[in-house]
Amino acid sequence: MNSITPRAATVEKIVGRAVPRPNARRLVEGRGTYVDDVELPRMVHVAYLRSPHAHARILRIDAAAALDMPGVVAIVDGRQLAEICAPFVGALSHLAGMRSPPQHAMAVDRACWQGEAVVAVVAQTRAQAEDAMQAVEVTWEVLPAVTRMDTALDPGTPVIHPELGDNLCFHREVDSGGVDDAFAAADVVVEETYDFGRHTGVTLEPRSILADYNPAERRLTVHHSHQAPHMMGDLYARLMGILEADVRVLCKDVGGSFGIKVHAYADDFATVALSVLLGRPVKFVADRLESFVTDIHAREHRVKARLALTRDGRFLAFDIADLTGIGPYSMYPRTSAVEGNQVINLCGGPYDHPHYRATLDVVFQNKVQTSQYRGVGHPIACAVTEGIVDLAAATLGMDPLELRRRNLMADDSFPRKGASGILLESLSHQRCLARLEEMVDFPALRREQAELRAKGIHRGIGIAVLIELTNPGAAFYGTGGARIASQDGATVRLDPTGIVHCASGVGEQGQGTETIFAQIVADEVGVPMDRVRVLTGDTAATPYGGGTWASRGAGIGGEAVLQASRQLRANLLEFAAVHLGLPVERLRIAGGSVIDTAEGVALMDLAELGSLAHFRPDLLPAGFQPELVVTRHYAQRDYPFIFTNGIQVSHVEVDVETGVVTLLKHWVVEDCGRVLNPLLVDEQIRGAVMQGLGGVLFEECLYDENGVMRNGSMADYLVPMAGEMPDIEVAHVETPTRSSELGAKGAGEAGTAGAPAAVMNAINDALRPFAVRLTAQPITPEKILHALHPHLAG
Amino acid sequence: MKAPPFAYRRVDSVAAAAALLREHGDEARLIAGGQTLLATLGMRLSEPSLLIDIRGITEMQGIAVADGHLRIGALARHVDVERSALVARHLPLLSLAAPHIAHAAIRNRGTFGGSIAFADPAAEWPACTVAADGALTLSDGTRSRTVAATDFFLGLYQTALRPDELITAVQFPLPGPQRRFAFTELARRHGDYATVGVALAGDVTDGRLDNPRIVYFGIGGTPVRARAAEAALAGGRAEPAALDRAVAELGGELAPAGDLYAAAATKLHLAGVLLRRGIQSLMAEDVQS
């Protein structure tokens, strides 16, 4: 026993500190392992020939010439793959009445969007596959395309899936009652329609998959750039008829995801089916051009909103109607109805108002499928709510901040329900507002605004209050019949060298999940962070879990890590007490050592305990077995979601001659519960704000009337870059959730949720002297010019 | 996507490059910085069988002043022009324009001559070359000829280059002490091709503007010199009425085509806004030394 270490200093907690990501260096040095870095023996590459038409019957596929091209291994159509991979349906049973037709891994007989895979060309290299693809001839019969969502349900519009009878995927209504009476009795009613352009997430690493089916043992290993490896393992097993136990999904480094990589793409199933067919590894790495017409899109919505108020600015009722177009199939397995569903759950969400009514129509179109993308419905709900609140303030002649102050749910009113029926645990709107007023000198900004207006310079201030659902509860997805785990697990273990390993079902996509897990382990076991190793993204080695989505990584995955770490510490203390012959109450673990709290000295390093357990169990008392591996799981069972809240403010300058919007500054006050790592949380918020700025100012998937995407390249699709980024100041209010001991809520999406509303409101505030309002996102310079100079709109 | 297969040859003389161009005709493409070509290969929009790498041709390098001219070798990279003290002193128009070209990583590779030879109508260098009365030295390895920039750009991606010719250098007459320049451009994002841009030059003497050059880009198939607008401003003091006349003339001489993000009418409107701002900048006392 070694007891000569001097008095152990109090060890500072690592959770809550701005610890940099240990894995960042590896990635910056180019030493990451993305799917495309993985090379396997006998591996071949697939390129997919994709439909150039939005809707077309496949009359004939002639691959004879292509089959003779260098390196070609196989050319396969959808019919062949359908014999290996069962069709799938993107519907959830708890979304009552939702319908979507069966979808195949590749188109069979008919392609329903420009970009749907029709022929798989497998060759020794991707370049050879692309060479051969040019020699494949497909004869098409072009069919009429449904592109517009506003006419998708009209009787004259072709029905994409005749067996469904019409183009309606899902309809839902929410009604608290009393809405019509509230509007009839209101002093003021404001009404506006908001349009949201389709856009998409753009990841640095594209969707990538390497499927390796071993026919000798009927085992499938899939290297995948994905957020939910266990979900994918289950789907591959069921659709291909392989035992789930014999499917392993590996997600090593994932170069960004944003929800784009939480879905099961037809391409994924096709690539796995090709590996099954060929009995060898098949790699598919989407290129940027095909990503634009196959990665999910999001946010094509038109929302009509009405708000009823009293003369003194009290909100009485919101009335919302959301129409959204989702492509020809609801996305599997999470569906394409969740975004709209969240819109109608969340509108009006920050405010105390008695009455609420909303309708949702989700319609099919011949465009890329839409589904969950960072923020899922929140950017729309927030823009609609905050847009109409600003309109109400203007109508009443009231300061927009003051109108919000009068209507925000009071901090002492929680837990409570919102008018749409959502359950809210504990929010801090009032404290966030107070914090915001410390950060932003509104009176000075208003003075400057007035002074500059006199000189023809038009600046605006836009406010957006938001709520965000995070830490989804135990029922989420499972209740709808989708086998997507709501719980997550963590295994921690002490090895003989005193290193603590942590394996989690929640993975890392660049947001820093592994870092916060290491922080939690370090604190809860009592070791320095450099003695922690974290493993994620391997279904063979991590506990079964849901993965990363709905801002659940820290809150759900982190709590499992905390619980497992606490139990490991308890086991280690018990072990040390038995070994040392001291009462366990006298011992604690800090800095990687067992400390005698009575003497204040370190008694032994955890490495000694580890060695003892592994190599000298003969020295332990009879009947005592140390357990150095602990697994704990956590499902959030208290609420459907743990909501967070925050406020954002955008300060912009609008050039009224050119329509150019300059972002001067952006402020964020965010309450994501306990802040585990301010560095990572702040960068999550900044990155998310940036994606929100993309949606409100730049990004839109433009289609022609035939359903062909017009701007599907990085030159033409405008992703904002560092040069477009304003300074973003972030502050926190911390209201830890009581649903977990960790207290963390989600932090990854709120930035995206609030930024579009804040910027839209700032632009409209800047343009108030001109009596115009911009409500169609992205708010492009041309839209601003057309509003200001109607003759240009011709 | 992956580029289709192609052969690759490095050459160290204009003659060798021209000989390969003659031998392979339309199947061959010159590559210098690859600013545009590599993207088109990657997207299989272009499938040449031979790339002729001309970066090693010494005589096409360098930036120098001699014989009353600023000479920019065709292989000078955008960043070389951007950082050149000679350019900043003698032809600040180019220094003003350079930061608008794409991003640093691209400016480190793309070349001055490549941009002019490719003749993208929304690119900065072709318009600047016209506005600064540049002349292009073209060579087929045996014979050289000089073509004024105004005569070089013939149509959308069409130039006066013969199939076996290279631009070897661009010559600019050294501007007199009264010559001033302005450059302004609107793009959706920093570094994007212009929605509309304009390169301006003029002699400013005691508040009077003479010999103005107004050259638009991003608005037609080539750089467009707005001669009627120039005439409306020439010899005057750019007072509001003259500016109004100049802007009004633009409607007659610009025939913009709309693009993804700006309709023709929008571009014409923006051209007028940029003209007012550009002339204001040109006439401002403290802009150029």
Side-chain angles (χ1 to χ4, degrees):
Chain A
M1 192 199 322
N2 174 2
S3 59
I4 54 168
T5 313
R7 190 177 186 84
T10 311
V11 178
E12 202 186 326
K13 288 282 184 193
I14 298 168
V15 167
R17 277 164 55 189
V19 182
R21 290 165 49 194
N23 58 11
R25 176 168 180 158
R26 173 168 53 83
L27 302 176
V28 169
E29 287 190 1
R31 302 285 178 174
T33 307
Y34 299 94
V35 169
D36 201 30
D37 295 315
V38 181
E39 303 273 341
L40 297 177
R42 302 180 65 250
M43 183 179 88
V44 288
H45 297 258
V46 60
Y48 293 106
L49 189 156
R50 300 183 182 280
S51 172
H53 306 292
H55 196 191
R57 205 175 311 284
I58 304 160
L59 298 180
R60 184 163 171 274
I61 297 170
D62 181 357
L67 274 166
D68 289 337
M69 305 247 319
V72 172
V73 172
I75 297 181
V76 179
D77 68 11
R79 221 166 251 294
Q80 289 168 273
L81 286 192
E83 292 172 16
I84 298 166
C85 180
F88 42 94
V89 176
L92 289 167
S93 60
H94 70 291
L95 300 174
M98 182 177 180
R99 311 173 307 164
S100 186
Q103 185 182 357
H104 288 279
M106 287 204 306
V108 174
D109 295 338
R110 182 175 69 132
C112 288
W113 82 89
Q114 177 219 4
E116 184 170 8
V118 174
V119 181
V121 180
V122 183
Q124 299 291 343
T125 68
R126 169 81 187 214
Q128 287 172 330
E130 290 184 15
D131 290 344
M133 197 163 75
Q134 290 178 308
V136 176
E137 287 191 21
V138 181
T139 312
W140 305 95
E141 177 195 346
V142 177
L143 302 170
V146 178
T147 58
R148 293 177 53 167
M149 58 181 187
D150 55 347
T151 54
L153 299 177
D154 290 357
T157 300
V159 176
I160 298 172
H161 307 289
E163 67 274 24
L164 299 183
D166 59 30
N167 290 320
L168 184 68
C169 169
F170 181 57
H171 174 84
R172 184 179 160 223
E173 297 180 10
V174 181
D175 193 347
S176 68
V179 170
D180 287 330
D181 290 345
F183 273 90
D187 298 325
V188 179
V189 171
V190 285
E191 182 171 347
E192 202 159 52
T193 297
Y194 300 87
D195 288 291
F196 299 86
R198 222 173 219 266
H199 53 282
T200 184
V202 176
T203 55
L204 275 178
E205 182 207 21
R207 286 190 299 110
S208 311
I209 179 170
L210 168 53
D212 180 15
Y213 180 71
N214 185 333
E217 46 183 7
R218 289 190 52 77
R219 287 180 73 92
L220 172 68
T221 304
V222 180
H223 300 261
H224 207 171
S225 183
H226 207 272
Q227 298 169 238
H230 283 98
M231 177 191 94
M232 292 310 300
D234 167 70
L235 297 179
Y236 294 139
R238 285 191 287 127
L239 293 183
M240 313 283 166
I242 305 168
L243 289 175
E244 187 179 352
D246 296 327
V247 178
R248 179 184 183 189
V249 179
L250 289 144
C251 305
K252 287 194 166 179
D253 292 316
V254 175
S257 51
F258 315 122
I260 297 299
K261 296 177 183 170
V262 80
H263 309 288
Y265 288 85
D267 292 351
D268 300 333
F269 297 127
T271 306
V272 169
L274 286 167
S275 181
V276 172
L277 178 74
L278 300 171
R280 62 196 296 183
V282 179
K283 181 184 278 185
F284 169 68
V285 177
D287 69 38
R288 249 340 309 170
L289 296 180
E290 64 189 336
S291 292
F292 276 113
V293 292
T294 54
D295 287 4
I296 60 105
H297 294 176
R299 317 256 206 272
E300 185 174 0
H301 288 249
R302 170 167 295 168
V303 185
K304 292 180 180 165
R306 291 198 303 151
L307 170 60
L309 307 91
T310 63
R311 196 169 295 107
D312 59 352
R314 258 184 328 106
F315 297 172
L316 300 174
F318 282 85
D319 188 10
I320 304 292
D322 181 18
L323 171 66
T324 180
I326 59 158
Y329 300 98
S330 168
M331 196 70 190
Y332 187 62
R334 289 161 195 263
T335 85
S336 304
V338 169
E339 186 179 65
N341 202 46
Q342 295 196 167
V343 170
I344 64 167
N345 284 338
L346 296 170
C347 279
Y351 300 106
D352 200 342
H353 54 98
H355 306 292
Y356 183 77
R357 180 170 62 200
T359 62
L360 168 67
D361 284 301
V362 178
V363 299
F364 293 114
Q365 314 154 292
N366 295 113
K367 292 182 180 175
V368 173
Q369 292 166 282
T370 71
S371 200
Q372 287 85 319
Y373 162 53
R374 196 177 199 174
V376 196
H378 293 69
I380 293 154
C382 182
V384 168
T385 304
E386 295 303 287
I388 200 140
V389 166
D390 257 25
L391 178 62
T395 307
L396 290 167
M398 191 180 287
D399 178 72
L401 201 63
E402 176 57 27
L403 182 60
R404 288 176 171 85
R405 195 192 320 277
R406 289 186 189 184
N407 289 284
L408 284 171
M409 289 180 179
D411 290 1
D412 62 5
S413 67
F414 298 96
R416 62 176 290 167
K417 259 192 173 185
S420 72
I422 52 176
L423 285 171
L424 304 163
E425 183 208 21
S426 184
L427 302 182
S428 59
H429 291 305
Q430 292 169 322
R431 274 177 296 155
C432 284
L433 196 61
R435 182 74 187 85
L436 182 75
E437 290 188 283
E438 291 167 17
M439 281 173 96
V440 184
D441 188 345
F442 284 101
L445 288 179
R446 290 290 177 204
R447 276 196 303 277
E448 179 203 64
Q449 182 181 44
E451 286 164 18
L452 291 175
R453 258 181 196 158
K455 298 176 188 166
I457 295 170
H458 298 277
R459 291 189 172 177
I461 303 147
I463 302 160
V465 181
L466 65 98
I467 57 171
E468 191 215 336
L469 59 84
T470 75
N471 294 10
F476 203 50
Y477 284 121
T479 186
R483 294 167 67 87
I484 303 169
S486 58
Q487 63 76 37
D488 238 291
T491 298
V492 293
R493 73 167 203 268
L494 181 77
D495 79 5
T497 62
I499 297 290
V500 182
H501 294 262
C502 171
S504 167
V506 173
E508 165 84 57
Q509 285 92 48
Q511 72 276 60
T513 308
E514 293 181 354
T515 305
I516 58 168
F517 290 170
Q519 290 177 267
I520 293 167
V521 170
D523 278 359
E524 298 297 334
V525 177
V527 297
M529 204 171 135
D530 63 8
R531 284 220 211 165
V532 182
R533 300 290 181 276
V534 179
L535 175 80
T536 65
D538 182 351
T539 59
T542 63
Y544 201 107
T548 310
W549 39 273
S551 292
R552 70 189 290 283
I556 307 289
E559 178 69 6
V561 171
L562 177 141
Q563 296 295 345
S565 300
R566 283 191 181 170
Q567 187 58 48
L568 177 63
R569 184 185 57 191
N571 291 4
L572 294 174
L573 285 170
E574 183 195 3
F575 179 16
V578 167
H579 174 63
L580 296 167
L582 292 170
V584 72
E585 304 78 32
R586 230 176 102 171
L587 303 178
R588 68 186 181 98
I589 300 173
S593 297
V594 179
I595 312 278
D596 179 347
T597 53
E599 303 290 328
V601 293
L603 300 175
M604 61 191 303
D605 193 280
L606 291 185
E608 293 176 67
L609 270 186
S611 289
L612 198 58
H614 285 85
F615 309 125
R616 297 305 306 272
D618 57 304
L619 298 179
L620 301 180
F624 178 76
Q625 176 59 47
E627 290 295 345
L628 304 190
V629 183
V630 175
T631 298
R632 287 291 179 273
H633 293 85
Y634 173 69
Q636 190 277 105
R637 293 158 191 264
D638 294 350
Y639 292 88
F641 299 95
I642 301 299
F643 275 89
T644 70
N645 65 285
I647 310 186
Q648 297 186 23
V649 173
S650 167
H651 190 211
V652 307
E653 184 171 311
V654 181
D655 184 332
V656 297
E657 292 184 324
T658 64
V660 171
V661 174
T662 303
L663 300 166
L664 301 172
K665 178 97 179 181
H666 203 94
W667 293 270
V668 178
V669 180
E670 169 70 11
D671 186 347
C672 59
R674 189 173 175 203
V675 176
L676 303 177
N677 183 327
L679 178 69
L680 295 178
V681 170
D682 287 3
E683 294 320 309
Q684 277 288 297
I685 288 171
R686 291 195 175 94
V689 164
M690 200 57 187
Q691 274 179 310
L693 298 177
V696 66
L697 293 178
F698 297 101
E699 299 182 48
E700 184 171 18
C701 301
L702 299 169
Y703 277 85
D704 71 14
E705 67 280 9
N706 298 315
V708 174
M709 190 171 168
R710 301 165 63 208
N711 60 339
S713 77
M714 291 303 286
D716 293 330
Y717 180 87
L718 306 178
V719 181
M721 292 184 283
E724 280 65 57
M725 192 168 184
D727 186 25
I728 302 169
E729 202 175 313
V730 182
H732 299 280
V733 168
E734 294 190 54
T735 310
T737 174
R738 289 183 290 273
S739 61
S740 72
E741 294 193 46
L742 186 63
K745 306 175 185 176
E749 303 180 82
T752 309
V759 172
M760 178 181 75
N761 282 346
I763 291 170
N764 286 323
D765 184 55
L767 297 179
R768 276 190 71 184
F770 302 92
V772 296
R773 284 180 59 82
L774 280 298
T775 57
Q777 299 181 17
I779 302 175
T780 61
E782 186 162 65
K783 286 180 188 170
I784 291 174
L785 280 180
H786 285 179
L788 293 171
H789 310 276
H791 70 277
L792 291 176
Chain B
M1 287 179 82
K2 308 293 181 191
F6 54 81
Y8 171 88
R9 295 278 296 277
R10 274 200 91 141
V11 296
D12 57 10
S13 71
V14 174
L20 284 172
L21 285 174
R22 277 191 289 275
E23 183 184 342
H24 294 273
D26 206 32
E27 284 294 300
R29 291 279 184 284
L30 302 176
I31 181 164
Q35 180 181 349
T36 304
L37 181 60
L38 289 181
T40 60
L41 291 178
M43 295 192 271
R44 296 196 177 214
L45 297 172
S46 163
E47 301 197 21
S49 60
L50 172 67
L51 293 191
I52 306 166
D53 188 336
I54 58 173
R55 283 175 300 173
I57 302 178
T58 333
E59 65 195 272
M60 291 170 64
Q61 318 270 0
I63 298 174
V65 169
D67 305 327
H69 282 77
L70 173 73
R71 176 192 179 278
I72 300 182
L75 288 172
R77 299 169 305 156
H78 307 314
V79 66
D80 299 326
V81 178
E82 183 179 12
R83 294 186 185 168
S84 165
L86 283 177
V87 170
R89 194 161 104 222
H90 295 288
L91 197 55
L93 175 65
L94 304 185
S95 311
L96 294 172
H100 291 271
I101 301 171
H103 303 97
I106 291 171
R107 294 200 293 274
N108 285 341
R109 284 186 169 269
T111 63
F112 193 73
S115 171
I116 291 170
F118 185 63
D120 190 302
E124 290 81 1
W125 290 148
C128 288
T129 305
V130 173
D133 301 322
L136 312 174
T137 308
L138 313 182
S139 170
D140 64 4
T142 49
R143 273 175 312 185
S144 279
R145 62 186 178 119
T146 299
V147 175
T150 41
D151 301 326
F152 180 76
F153 302 100
L154 304 179
L156 188 63
Y157 303 112
Q158 302 295 310
T159 69
L161 272 172
R162 292 172 188 146
D164 63 345
E165 274 183 331
L166 287 73
I167 301 175
T168 59
V170 185
Q171 306 271 354
F172 295 97
L174 292 184
Q178 312 302 327
R179 200 72 176 159
R180 292 188 183 179
F181 300 98
F183 184 91
T184 170
E185 168 177 339
L186 292 171
R188 286 299 309 277
R189 297 173 300 177
H190 293 87
D192 279 353
Y193 278 113
T195 304
V196 186
V198 64
L200 296 159
D203 295 324
V204 180
T205 318
D206 302 328
R208 195 185 70 242
L209 177 64
D210 293 304
N211 300 313
R213 294 282 183 281
I214 301 171
V215 184
Y216 283 96
F217 55 103
I219 205 157
T222 63
V224 182
R225 194 171 153 190
R227 290 174 188 271
E230 288 174 5
L233 292 165
R237 312 182 74 83
E239 50 281 271
L243 267 175
D244 288 346
R245 279 200 306 280
V247 170
E249 295 288 3
L250 294 178
E253 54 190 349
L254 302 181
D259 59 28
L260 273 173
Y261 295 110
T266 302
K267 288 198 175 208
L268 188 59
H269 164 83
L270 293 173
V273 173
L274 292 192
L275 181 61
R276 291 177 195 277
R277 292 180 181 184
I279 293 291
Q280 192 172 33
S281 157
L282 195 76
M283 304 300 287
E285 301 249 342
D286 54 350
V287 170
Q288 265 108 32
S289 54

